[in-house]
Amino acid sequence: MSDKEGIRRAEQSKAIVILRWAGVVPMALLTCLVVRYVVVLLGRWGMARYVDPGSLMWRVIDWYVIHGVGGALLGGVFVYVASYIAPAHKKTVATASAGFVLVVGGFLLFPSLLVRDWSAIVESICIAFGAVGTAYSIFSGEIHLNE
């Protein structure tokens, strides 16, 4: 391999590293939102086949199961994808992204408490649990990411 090819590959790898660092938050946000909407869509579609949409059972399942699971996945997928995309320092990224989710969740929880939107309150709490649980699993080594 010539010196020019080695320099070109080094520059390319630096560019890829920079692009990966720049894409951590946008890709994590995009992925977690897509996963959350797929979970809500599948949950409501499955419920519509067996539960009357105007019933109390619909509201209970929608609020606590669909929004709870969707929220936990929202936080967990954000932390996992951010840590997976980051080219280095994956445990630090997991901790920082979980902190980011907690701060954003706290900002979203406050107006939900003011208007007493109980499904949003449950979802905000589940987002925090999903993010912290995934960060803990990455930090403790239960979830293995390539370093």
Side-chain angles (χ1 to χ4, degrees):
M1 169 175 18
S2 68
D3 289 335
K4 288 184 180 180
E5 288 179 25
I7 291 171
R8 192 173 305 137
R9 286 188 182 177
E11 288 176 1
Q12 182 181 12
S13 65
K14 286 181 184 177
I16 290 173
V17 167
I18 290 170
L19 286 174
R20 284 179 69 180
W21 277 118
V24 166
V25 173
M27 289 307 295
L29 281 172
L30 180 66
T31 306
C32 72
L33 288 174
V34 167
V35 167
R36 189 226 180 255
Y37 284 119
V38 167
V39 166
V40 170
L41 179 70
L42 289 176
R44 287 189 178 163
W45 176 74
M47 267 194 337
R49 297 176 65 198
Y50 302 107
V51 180
D52 179 35
S55 69
L56 176 66
M57 182 62 100
W58 175 278
R59 281 186 273 150
V60 168
I61 292 172
D62 186 44
W63 283 359
Y64 297 109
V65 176
I66 294 178
H67 286 292
V69 170
L73 280 173
L74 187 77
V77 167
F78 181 85
V79 172
Y80 180 79
V81 170
S83 301
Y84 186 81
I85 291 175
H89 310 292
K90 294 183 183 287
K91 291 182 179 180
T92 306
V93 171
T95 306
S97 60
F100 176 74
V101 169
L102 289 174
V103 168
V104 171
F107 282 123
L108 295 176
L109 183 62
F110 181 70
S112 300
L113 288 170
L114 290 177
V115 297
R116 296 182 183 179
D117 184 2
W118 300 112
S119 63
I121 293 168
V122 168
E123 191 164 3
S124 296
I125 293 168
C126 290
I127 288 170
F129 276 112
V132 170
T134 304
Y136 176 77
S137 297
I138 291 171
F139 199 76
S140 67
E142 293 177 22
I143 296 176
H144 300 285
L145 299 170
N146 297 333
E147 289 247 17

